[in-house]
Amino acid sequence: KNLRKIMIKRDIKTVLLLLVGLVTSFTFVACDDDETDSNADPVVRYFRPTDANKADSMIVNLSLGQTVAMIGENLDNIVGIKFNDQEVALNPCYVTPTAIIFTTPVAIPGEVTNKLYFTCKNGKVVEYATETLLPEPSIDNVSKGYLKAGDVVTIKGNYFIPTEDTPIEITLPGGITVSPDASSTYTTLTFTVPEGITKSGSLSVESAFGITNWPYEIFAYSDLQESNVEGLLFDFDGKNGAMETANGWRPGYPADPSVELSGKACLFDNGGAELEGDLTGTWLEDNMTLNYWPSADDNILTRVPVSNIEDYAYQLEIFVENPWTAMCFAVQPTSLDVVSASNMQNQYYNKVSSYLYEPYISNPEFTTEGQWITLTMPLTEFTRTIEGKSSEGLSPSDLAGLTIRWAGAGSGDLTKVAKMQPKLYFDNVRLVKKKY
């Protein structure tokens, strides 16, 4: 209810500074106390962006999660700041008598007062009025990359904030609009896919404060069934040029999943054997690994030429049937120099930059609850080795081969693994480009 009191503005207003000689840059003196009178009240003159390209503009009102430079006098008397009812993290190295740089909290305030509260060295609290602007919605993940009538889809992100006049609206491919379910929150939206989704395209979320798109194309279920999806590499059926199995020591094992998706899928089940106890150093490859080690002149990954990894992601569908209690599901792109059809070896696996999917860390009995979900893996997030160590990240030359495995410690502990019978399917491995 408090949020409804906020005056709705869609953009941060900026005003050009027209006064000749107004300071547009400043230098910080690191972490030293000044001789400012400790009883002098701080005075705020204006706020400005920290971006040097926007240094000639003022910020009139403050948004959540916004980094600003506050300009004024006696500012080094400030020892604490609250924005509404949320604490601001202050770095003393960014505090001087005439300027403070800080970032407003990203959390939605429980009580909106439209004020900054400055706690001073002498204990006095000084208030400064500023309208609170809420950001446009942000989308971090969509649980399904395809839309099937009757399925429940979860969108995770932030600032899914309805108002009395403007409820949250979700737009699906073909311009079909739906409303979130009643269980939705400021950070999670769920909705049921309606009938009539026949086109692939964009998904967007709109609030009173703006609109945002999920960067990747969402597919109609009919396109997924026919393997008519962008950047498809493996569908384990061999439809539309996608590979039925990979090539290397472990090509993957197509199987019929107990829950329908789009034909066969690759099954990781450790050959039906249970895992338990200390798995440190255990070599889990058979029935737990897919290797694609191509030659230079026989490479399906060249179907998707990548010049900038920031624009791309790997996607696949995943179905976890039995409880998952250990090990990471790792996707590992590899260059031809690392491993190829003419250089088959296993020394690369714990060194290359990988994406580690580890849902069991926060949910020790993780399953996908009888349904398929989509795993979206931006190439910029391939920043760890299979043992959980930091790596250098990817370059386009690393996208020649591909290994997918369920093994390695990741963030977990392999010394005391609870009894686990692995059973994980994945399907429709693809490399996709951002579109929105």
Side-chain angles (χ1 to χ4, degrees):
K1 293 181 180 178
N2 287 314
L3 291 171
R4 294 172 181 166
K5 298 177 182 178
I6 301 173
M7 297 178 62
I8 298 172
K9 291 182 181 289
R10 296 181 181 270
D11 299 301
I12 298 174
K13 297 179 180 178
T14 59
V15 180
L16 294 179
L17 301 181
L18 301 178
L19 299 177
V20 176
L22 189 63
V23 176
T24 60
S25 63
F26 45 85
T27 302
F28 288 100
V29 179
C31 307
D32 288 332
D33 284 336
D34 199 88
E35 296 192 6
T36 303
D37 180 358
S38 61
N39 288 313
D41 287 348
V43 176
V44 176
R45 297 300 181 189
Y46 60 91
F47 296 89
R48 46 162 270 191
T50 55
D51 185 346
N53 295 322
K54 300 177 181 178
D56 61 348
S57 61
M58 278 198 312
I59 295 171
V60 177
N61 299 301
L62 298 182
S63 180
L64 304 185
Q66 181 183 21
T67 300
V68 297
M70 182 171 69
I71 309 302
E73 293 95 46
N74 307 320
L75 300 186
D76 57 340
N77 277 342
I78 296 173
V79 295
I81 300 177
K82 275 189 176 183
F83 183 39
N84 297 298
D85 59 357
Q86 303 292 310
E87 291 283 351
V88 173
L90 279 184
N91 184 335
C93 294
Y94 293 157
V95 177
T96 75
T98 58
I100 298 178
I101 287 181
F102 64 88
T103 300
T104 57
V106 297
I108 298 170
E111 181 182 5
V112 178
T113 61
N114 290 319
K115 289 182 179 179
L116 284 166
Y117 301 91
F118 305 126
T119 300
C120 302
K121 291 177 180 177
N122 61 7
K124 185 176 181 180
V125 175
V126 176
E127 299 179 3
Y128 179 84
T130 176
E131 185 180 338
T132 304
L133 301 180
L134 296 183
E136 65 184 22
S138 64
I139 301 176
D140 296 331
N141 186 58
V142 178
S143 66
K144 292 183 184 289
Y146 64 94
L147 298 176
K148 179 183 178 183
D151 279 359
V152 176
V153 178
T154 300
I155 302 172
K156 292 187 177 180
N158 206 351
Y159 308 123
F160 303 139
I161 304 169
T163 65
E164 286 185 348
D165 298 329
T166 310
I168 295 293
E169 184 174 82
I170 303 166
T171 300
L172 307 177
I176 297 173
T177 59
V178 295
S179 297
D181 298 343
S183 62
S184 298
T185 68
Y186 291 154
T187 58
T188 300
L189 300 177
T190 59
F191 68 92
T192 302
V193 180
E195 299 285 347
I197 304 292
T198 59
K199 297 180 179 179
S200 299
S202 67
L203 177 150
S204 65
V205 175
E206 184 173 7
S207 75
F209 309 100
I211 184 170
T212 191
N213 284 287
W214 174 237
Y216 307 101
E217 187 168 43
I218 297 289
F219 296 101
Y221 179 59
S222 56
D223 285 343
L224 192 72
Q225 285 184 302
E226 297 301 320
S227 297
N228 184 28
V229 295
E230 180 186 20
L232 185 64
L233 307 174
F234 302 97
D235 70 355
F236 307 103
D237 298 299
K239 297 195 293 281
N240 290 330
M243 292 188 71
E244 205 166 350
T245 59
N247 58 292
W249 290 345
R250 309 290 184 268
Y253 298 92
D256 294 310
S258 56
V259 174
E260 179 191 1
L261 181 66
S262 56
K264 291 187 181 298
C266 187
L267 172 62
F268 284 174
D269 69 349
N270 200 37
E274 291 183 342
L275 295 168
E276 187 178 15
D278 188 351
L279 301 183
T280 306
T282 304
W283 198 257
L284 296 171
E285 282 204 307
D286 290 337
N287 303 99
M288 298 284 274
T289 297
L290 176 147
N291 298 133
Y292 178 63
W293 299 338
S295 62
D297 56 359
D298 179 26
N299 188 349
I300 63 168
L301 297 187
T302 57
R303 296 175 187 170
V304 187
V306 175
S307 58
N308 184 356
I309 65 166
E310 293 183 358
D311 293 335
Y312 289 84
Y314 279 111
Q315 285 186 329
L316 52 81
E317 272 65 56
I318 191 169
F319 171 53
V320 181
E321 188 166 336
N322 293 348
W324 180 346
T325 62
M327 302 185 300
C328 56
F329 181 81
V331 177
Q332 301 182 288
T334 51
S335 70
L336 294 179
D337 292 336
V338 168
V339 63
S340 69
S342 59
N343 176 31
M344 291 190 180
Q345 45 83 26
N346 57 24
Q347 300 306 306
Y348 71 93
Y349 90 102
N350 64 350
K351 300 176 183 177
V352 298
S353 293
S354 311
Y355 183 95
L356 307 185
Y357 182 52
E358 307 173 289
Y360 79 97
I361 297 292
S362 58
N363 182 357
E365 296 291 321
F366 178 80
T367 71
T368 54
E369 300 180 348
Q371 62 177 329
W372 287 85
I373 62 173
T374 298
L375 184 57
T376 299
M377 301 164 282
L379 297 189
T380 53
E381 296 182 17
F382 285 68
T383 56
R384 294 197 292 165
T385 70
I386 199 170
E387 300 303 330
K389 299 176 182 178
S390 296
S391 65
E392 294 181 357
L394 298 179
S395 65
S397 64
D398 294 318
L399 306 178
L402 188 66
T403 291
I404 300 175
R405 65 173 72 236
W406 195 3
S411 304
D413 180 3
L414 296 184
T415 61
K416 295 179 181 179
V417 174
K419 183 179 291 187
M420 178 174 70
Q421 170 58 68
K423 195 165 187 181
L424 176 154
Y425 296 89
F426 65 94
D427 202 359
N428 302 305
V429 181
R430 54 198 183 269
L431 181 60
V432 298
K433 186 178 183 180
K434 289 181 179 179
K435 287 193 169 184
Y436 309 103

